[in-house]
Amino acid sequence: MRADAQRNRARILTAAEEVFADGGPHASTEEVARRAGVAVGTVFRHFPTKADLLRALMKRLLQQVTDDAADLIAHGDPATALFDFFARLVERTAANRTVVILLAAEGMEVSITGPLGSLGDAVGELLARGQGVGAIRPEIRLDETMALLTSACQGALQGGWDHDLRRRTLDIMFAGLRPSG
Amino acid sequence: MRADAQRNRARILTAAEEVFADGGPHASTEEVARRAGVAVGTVFRHFPTKADLLRALMKRLLQQVTDDAADLIAHGDPATALFDFFARLVERTAANRTVVILLAAEGMEVSITGPLGSLGDAVGELLARGQGVGAIRPEIRLDETMALLTSACQGALQGGWDHDLRRRTLDIMFAGLRPSG
DNA sequence: GACGATAGTGAGTGGTGACTCATCTTGTCC
DNA sequence: GGACAAGATGAGTCACCACTCACTATCGTC
């Protein structure tokens, strides 16, 4: 792949992330091209279909989520690592909500449960560590944790919530996970 | 209003409910007209704008939910009424996706104030009563409660959750709402 | 049953957005 | 530094969709 093609591909992905983040679900490919400083044809050379572009964005998002989990298992405080993972995942989901919604509308295997399924082991590890230091009630099970995580992400997809509200809502869920008293 | 006009209005609303339920909010007005057995012009005579049609549908559906809340305000136990409302709505949502799909549409492109406002009032009342008898932490706010409610419903839409898991997940949220100790 | 008012009709309009392709430009390799 | 393939360009095509309007049909009333 030629150097300029590589550079343009990266610029298009970055531009697409921005455009879909604040332009809403009706943002056009033309707008992505404009923000990337590139012609429409170039966008379509790299991503033959708008869905392909969205897929590429999603792949990027999944990579970030996976890295988050691995990072928190390796370096996080066991008492807060699971909560931190919740918060990070919800924020990333909210930032990419247009992408997720559009892909879901295309009937593609991209709902937030898909990636979570493959992350089950990682979340289980974070949960076990939290319970090991008494930060999370011992009777909490993995399936409940995953369900709660899915709910939080799906809720964040609804839009109209600012960062502060998402944070406060998560705090209520966290309170439900912690030992009482 | 003439009798045929009244009849058509009702048929259009019913058709729209079906069409938007399985086609999503991007389904065309033409399709709604076709399913209602009516010409496009007729749809636009009753609802000058597609957004007006969506608004009318949401108003109808949210009214049912609000009635649920009103019933619990009138006859429910203040200590459990809010939790009962959560459980009732979540179980309903698991069977009927239309409300949530249209709520998603609201988040995307249609703004509405009336019905949502009154639902908010009803939930606020349930929340205040729960706090009044010490069943819910006093610092919990209405917007957090609504966000939690949305999350729970969205989560319930994910396939593969049985009644038991939905119940256990809700119990964690309830634990987060109750005073600790 | 005649008549005005109200409602319904559906081809047409305008605008938008995904995608194409003939043509020009640039990176790479010898 | 020349040749040539890979890449970029952007006006143009096509399909779709919200919405209109001149005309027709139907209702309610006397």
Side-chain angles (χ1 to χ4, degrees), chain B residues 88-110:
Chain B
R88 219 187 263 194
L89 184 53
V90 165
E91 286 305 316
R92 257 194 180 206
T93 299
N96 179 11
R97 302 187 64 216
T98 310
V99 173
V100 182
I101 284 170
L102 287 167
L103 282 172
E106 184 272 337
M108 284 166 70
E109 52 196 19
V110 182

Side-chain angles (χ1 to χ4, degrees), chain A residues 10-82:
Chain A
R11 288 170 72 185
I12 289 167
L13 278 175
T14 301
E17 210 167 69
E18 294 169 11
V19 167
F20 289 126
D22 57 52
H26 295 310
S28 66
T29 313
E30 201 100 25
E31 175 62 27
V32 172
R34 202 176 308 126
R35 179 118 37 149
V38 130
V40 232
T42 304
V43 175
F44 282 99
R45 167 177 288 274
H46 286 279
F47 308 97
T49 277
K50 190 179 185 180
D52 288 323
L53 174 56
L54 292 170
R55 247 190 296 265
L57 280 182
M58 193 68 197
K59 193 176 165 193
R60 215 193 210 191
L61 172 64
L62 289 188
Q63 190 57 53
Q64 294 170 343
V65 169
T66 304
D67 291 349
D68 277 348
D71 175 54
L72 282 167
I73 288 174
H75 308 111
D77 173 5
T80 62
L82 180 66

Side-chain angles (χ1 to χ4, degrees), chain B residues 100-167:
Chain B
V100 182
I101 284 170
L102 287 167
L103 282 172
E106 184 272 337
M108 284 166 70
E109 52 196 19
V110 182
S111 68
I112 191 166
T113 51
L116 266 185
S118 55
L119 176 61
D121 288 346
V123 173
E125 180 66 27
L126 290 170
L127 175 63
R129 286 176 182 227
Q131 290 173 324
V133 298
I136 296 173
R137 292 183 359 235
E139 68 268 27
I140 299 288
R141 301 195 217 157
L142 178 57
D143 61 350
E144 295 160 356
T145 309
M146 296 297 287
L148 209 56
L149 199 48
T150 305
S151 292
C153 288
Q154 287 295 309
L157 283 178
Q158 297 302 310
W161 295 15
D162 59 16
H163 178 269
D164 182 53
L165 178 53
R166 285 198 296 270
R167 181 72 227 177

